[in-house]
Amino acid sequence: MKLLQDVSSVRNFTQKQTAKQEIGLVPTMGALHRGHRALLEASLQNNDLTICSIYVNPTQFNNPDDLDKYPRTLEHDLKFLEEVGCDAVFCPPNQVMYPKKEQQLLQLSFGHLDKILEGQHRPGHFSGVGLVVSKLLNIVQPRRAYFGQKDLQQLAIIRQMVREFCISVEIMSVPIVREASGLALSSRNQRLSSEEKQVATQLYRTLLFAQQQYEIGIDLTTIKQQVLDRLSRDTGIRVEYFEVVRIDDFHLIEEADKSGAIAFCVAAYVGDVRLIDNIIVPPAKSTQQEH
Ligand code: AMP
């Protein structure tokens, strides 16, 4: 596996490939786990070459403490990527990604998409995500780039950005990988104690409960109240939001939409770790979980 740390070494690597070879990019912030592995495997299956990027992007952290505490496990990650069969890893230092601190000059906004959910609670987060993903796409110029449904709003934003900027890449989405307990895998789970991990499983159980209620026709206002009641019973959980969006346009909805898929989305603190999760509910009669 090639280790690439600056823009020209990525360009040298990609330009050596023949025009027919397709490159898949898997952007990550490291501390790799089975969720990342699912993205990598999807890319390995569909492309001739897979490049994984590992970069803890400072411009998408609105909370400096979260940035400081973000797990960094490069040695483990490189071994993990070797084992998966990844062709190259791009792990740039900050001065490669932000040589002139231009993050202070360029701000991206995404209309209603960054005013709700994560955007509302993490000001500037999606501007930072958009900036770093557009840089990565420009540097690597992949045929396909892979993102997890774990970050459902991020996926909607990246799709919009790629459309608006006419970036020639196919955005591929991969379903959420969970532990046997239902807890969505996340690099931040490393910061949970074993008791907190147990408490955190309540998030997915509550999403499943919401889905069941929705499918038997309970209205969304009642479901939201039931969910907040259930989660507030658990003293270890502090809910930041629980909302419902229409998958099609990522607008918040207050009433059931029987014609299209919806998603229940939650963000909550377990101890001092902020976790997000979601569940996509297809329209009645369909069993597809596609986004
Ligand atoms: P991160 O390193 O957390 O920025 O994640 C990098 C990519 O992996 C993002 O596209 C995430 O949505 C995706 N990802 C993270 N956790 C999971 C998971 N449990 N299942 C599927 N994809 C995931």
CSV table of all heavy atoms in Angstrom, one decimal, residues 27-30 33 35-36 39 70 146-151 154 174-177 184-187, ligand 1:
chain,number,residue,atom,x,y,z
A,27,PRO,N,-13.2,8.8,2.0
A,27,PRO,CA,-12.7,9.8,2.9
A,27,PRO,C,-13.0,9.4,4.3
A,27,PRO,O,-14.2,9.1,4.6
A,27,PRO,CB,-13.4,11.1,2.5
A,27,PRO,CG,-14.1,10.8,1.2
A,27,PRO,CD,-14.3,9.3,1.2
A,28,THR,N,-12.1,9.5,5.2
A,28,THR,CA,-12.3,9.2,6.7
A,28,THR,C,-11.5,10.1,7.5
A,28,THR,O,-10.6,10.8,7.1
A,28,THR,CB,-11.9,7.7,7.0
A,28,THR,OG1,-10.5,7.7,7.2
A,28,THR,CG2,-12.2,6.7,6.0
A,29,MET,N,-11.8,10.0,8.8
A,29,MET,CA,-11.0,10.8,9.8
A,29,MET,C,-10.2,9.8,10.7
A,29,MET,O,-9.7,10.1,11.8
A,29,MET,CB,-11.9,11.6,10.7
A,29,MET,CG,-12.6,12.7,9.9
A,29,MET,SD,-13.1,14.1,10.8
A,29,MET,CE,-14.3,13.4,11.9
A,30,GLY,N,-10.1,8.5,10.2
A,30,GLY,CA,-9.3,7.5,10.9
A,30,GLY,C,-10.0,6.9,12.0
A,30,GLY,O,-11.2,7.0,12.1
A,33,HIS,N,-12.8,1.4,11.7
A,33,HIS,CA,-13.6,0.3,12.3
A,33,HIS,C,-14.4,-0.4,11.1
A,33,HIS,O,-14.2,0.0,10.0
A,33,HIS,CB,-14.5,0.8,13.4
A,33,HIS,CG,-15.3,2.0,13.0
A,33,HIS,ND1,-16.3,1.9,12.0
A,33,HIS,CD2,-15.3,3.3,13.4
A,33,HIS,CE1,-16.9,3.1,11.8
A,33,HIS,NE2,-16.3,4.0,12.7
A,35,GLY,N,-17.3,-0.1,10.1
A,35,GLY,CA,-18.1,0.8,9.3
A,35,GLY,C,-17.3,1.3,8.1
A,35,GLY,O,-17.8,1.3,7.0
A,36,HIS,N,-16.1,1.7,8.4
A,36,HIS,CA,-15.2,2.2,7.4
A,36,HIS,C,-14.9,1.0,6.4
A,36,HIS,O,-14.8,1.2,5.2
A,36,HIS,CB,-13.9,2.7,7.9
A,36,HIS,CG,-14.0,3.9,8.8
A,36,HIS,ND1,-13.8,3.9,10.2
A,36,HIS,CD2,-14.5,5.2,8.6
A,36,HIS,CE1,-14.0,5.1,10.7
A,36,HIS,NE2,-14.4,5.9,9.8
A,39,LEU,N,-17.3,0.6,3.6
A,39,LEU,CA,-17.0,1.6,2.5
A,39,LEU,C,-15.9,1.1,1.6
A,39,LEU,O,-15.9,1.2,0.4
A,39,LEU,CB,-16.7,3.0,3.1
A,39,LEU,CG,-17.9,3.9,3.4
A,39,LEU,CD1,-18.8,3.3,4.5
A,39,LEU,CD2,-17.4,5.3,3.9
A,70,TYR,N,-10.6,13.8,19.6
A,70,TYR,CA,-10.9,12.8,18.5
A,70,TYR,C,-9.8,11.8,18.5
A,70,TYR,O,-8.6,12.1,18.5
A,70,TYR,CB,-11.0,13.6,17.2
A,70,TYR,CG,-11.8,12.7,16.2
A,70,TYR,CD1,-13.2,12.8,16.2
A,70,TYR,CD2,-11.2,11.8,15.4
A,70,TYR,CE1,-13.9,12.0,15.4
A,70,TYR,CE2,-11.9,11.0,14.5
A,70,TYR,CZ,-13.3,11.1,14.5
A,70,TYR,OH,-14.0,10.2,13.7
A,146,TYR,N,-17.1,7.2,-1.6
A,146,TYR,CA,-18.0,6.4,-0.8
A,146,TYR,C,-18.2,7.1,0.6
A,146,TYR,O,-17.3,7.5,1.3
A,146,TYR,CB,-17.3,5.0,-0.5
A,146,TYR,CG,-17.3,4.3,-1.8
A,146,TYR,CD1,-16.4,4.5,-2.8
A,146,TYR,CD2,-18.3,3.3,-2.1
A,146,TYR,CE1,-16.4,3.9,-4.0
A,146,TYR,CE2,-18.3,2.6,-3.3
A,146,TYR,CZ,-17.4,2.9,-4.3
A,146,TYR,OH,-17.4,2.3,-5.5
A,147,PHE,N,-19.5,7.2,1.0
A,147,PHE,CA,-19.9,7.8,2.2
A,147,PHE,C,-20.9,6.9,2.9
A,147,PHE,O,-21.7,6.2,2.3
A,147,PHE,CB,-20.5,9.2,2.0
A,147,PHE,CG,-19.5,10.1,1.4
A,147,PHE,CD1,-19.3,10.2,0.0
A,147,PHE,CD2,-18.7,10.9,2.2
A,147,PHE,CE1,-18.4,11.1,-0.6
A,147,PHE,CE2,-17.7,11.8,1.6
A,147,PHE,CZ,-17.6,11.9,0.2
A,148,GLY,N,-21.0,7.0,4.3
A,148,GLY,CA,-21.9,6.1,5.0
A,148,GLY,C,-23.2,6.8,5.3
A,148,GLY,O,-23.3,8.0,5.5
A,149,GLN,N,-24.3,6.0,5.3
A,149,GLN,CA,-25.6,6.6,5.7
A,149,GLN,C,-25.6,6.9,7.2
A,149,GLN,O,-26.6,7.6,7.6
A,149,GLN,CB,-26.7,5.5,5.4
A,149,GLN,CG,-26.9,5.4,3.9
A,149,GLN,CD,-27.9,4.3,3.6
A,149,GLN,OE1,-28.5,3.7,4.4
A,149,GLN,NE2,-28.0,4.0,2.3
A,150,LYS,N,-24.6,6.5,7.9
A,150,LYS,CA,-24.5,7.0,9.3
A,150,LYS,C,-24.6,8.5,9.4
A,150,LYS,O,-25.1,9.1,10.3
A,150,LYS,CB,-23.1,6.5,9.9
A,150,LYS,CG,-22.6,7.1,11.1
A,150,LYS,CD,-23.2,6.4,12.3
A,150,LYS,CE,-22.6,6.8,13.6
A,150,LYS,NZ,-22.0,8.0,13.7
A,151,ASP,N,-23.9,9.2,8.4
A,151,ASP,CA,-23.9,10.6,8.4
A,151,ASP,C,-24.9,11.0,7.2
A,151,ASP,O,-24.4,11.5,6.2
A,151,ASP,CB,-22.5,11.2,8.1
A,151,ASP,CG,-21.6,10.8,9.3
A,151,ASP,OD1,-21.6,11.5,10.3
A,151,ASP,OD2,-20.9,9.7,9.2
A,154,GLN,N,-24.9,14.6,5.9
A,154,GLN,CA,-23.6,14.9,5.2
A,154,GLN,C,-23.7,14.3,3.7
A,154,GLN,O,-23.3,15.0,2.8
A,154,GLN,CB,-22.5,14.2,5.9
A,154,GLN,CG,-21.2,14.1,5.2
A,154,GLN,CD,-20.1,13.5,6.0
A,154,GLN,OE1,-19.5,14.1,6.9
A,154,GLN,NE2,-19.7,12.2,5.8
A,174,VAL,N,-23.4,3.9,1.6
A,174,VAL,CA,-23.3,2.5,2.2
A,174,VAL,C,-24.1,2.5,3.5
A,174,VAL,O,-24.0,3.4,4.3
A,174,VAL,CB,-21.8,2.3,2.5
A,174,VAL,CG1,-21.6,0.9,3.2
A,174,VAL,CG2,-21.0,2.3,1.2
A,175,PRO,N,-24.9,1.5,3.7
A,175,PRO,CA,-25.7,1.4,4.9
A,175,PRO,C,-24.9,1.3,6.2
A,175,PRO,O,-23.7,1.0,6.2
A,175,PRO,CB,-26.5,0.0,4.8
A,175,PRO,CG,-26.4,-0.3,3.3
A,175,PRO,CD,-25.2,0.3,2.8
A,176,ILE,N,-25.6,1.7,7.3
A,176,ILE,CA,-24.9,1.8,8.6
A,176,ILE,C,-24.5,0.4,9.1
A,176,ILE,O,-25.3,-0.5,9.1
A,176,ILE,CB,-25.8,2.4,9.7
A,176,ILE,CG1,-26.3,3.8,9.2
A,176,ILE,CG2,-25.2,2.4,11.0
A,176,ILE,CD1,-27.2,4.5,10.2
A,177,VAL,N,-23.3,0.3,9.6
A,177,VAL,CA,-22.8,-1.0,10.2
A,177,VAL,C,-22.9,-0.8,11.7
A,177,VAL,O,-22.5,0.2,12.3
A,177,VAL,CB,-21.3,-1.3,9.8
A,177,VAL,CG1,-20.8,-2.6,10.5
A,177,VAL,CG2,-21.2,-1.4,8.3
A,184,ALA,N,-24.5,1.9,16.5
A,184,ALA,CA,-23.9,2.2,15.3
A,184,ALA,C,-22.4,2.4,15.5
A,184,ALA,O,-22.0,3.1,16.5
A,184,ALA,CB,-24.4,3.5,14.7
A,185,LEU,N,-21.5,1.7,14.7
A,185,LEU,CA,-20.1,1.9,14.9
A,185,LEU,C,-19.7,3.3,14.7
A,185,LEU,O,-20.2,4.0,13.7
A,185,LEU,CB,-19.3,1.0,14.0
A,185,LEU,CG,-19.5,-0.5,14.2
A,185,LEU,CD1,-18.6,-1.3,13.2
A,185,LEU,CD2,-19.0,-0.9,15.6
A,186,SER,N,-18.8,3.8,15.5
A,186,SER,CA,-18.3,5.2,15.3
A,186,SER,C,-17.0,5.3,16.0
A,186,SER,O,-16.7,4.6,17.1
A,186,SER,CB,-19.3,6.2,16.0
A,186,SER,OG,-18.7,7.4,16.2
A,187,SER,N,-16.1,6.1,15.4
A,187,SER,CA,-14.8,6.3,16.1
A,187,SER,C,-14.9,6.8,17.5
A,187,SER,O,-14.1,6.6,18.4
A,187,SER,CB,-13.9,7.2,15.2
A,187,SER,OG,-13.8,6.7,13.9
B,1,AMP,P1,-15.6,9.4,9.8
B,1,AMP,O1,-14.2,8.7,9.9
B,1,AMP,O2,-16.3,9.2,11.1
B,1,AMP,O3,-15.6,10.8,9.3
B,1,AMP,O4,-16.4,8.5,8.7
B,1,AMP,C1,-15.9,8.3,7.4
B,1,AMP,C2,-17.0,7.7,6.6
B,1,AMP,O5,-17.4,6.5,7.2
B,1,AMP,C3,-18.2,8.6,6.6
B,1,AMP,O6,-18.8,8.6,5.2
B,1,AMP,C4,-19.2,7.9,7.5
B,1,AMP,O7,-20.5,8.1,7.3
B,1,AMP,C5,-18.8,6.5,7.3
B,1,AMP,N1,-19.1,5.7,8.5
B,1,AMP,C6,-18.8,6.0,9.8
B,1,AMP,N2,-19.3,5.1,10.6
B,1,AMP,C7,-20.1,4.2,9.9
B,1,AMP,C8,-20.9,3.1,10.1
B,1,AMP,N3,-21.1,2.6,11.4
B,1,AMP,N4,-21.5,2.5,9.1
B,1,AMP,C9,-21.3,2.9,7.8
B,1,AMP,N5,-20.5,4.0,7.5
B,1,AMP,C10,-19.9,4.6,8.5
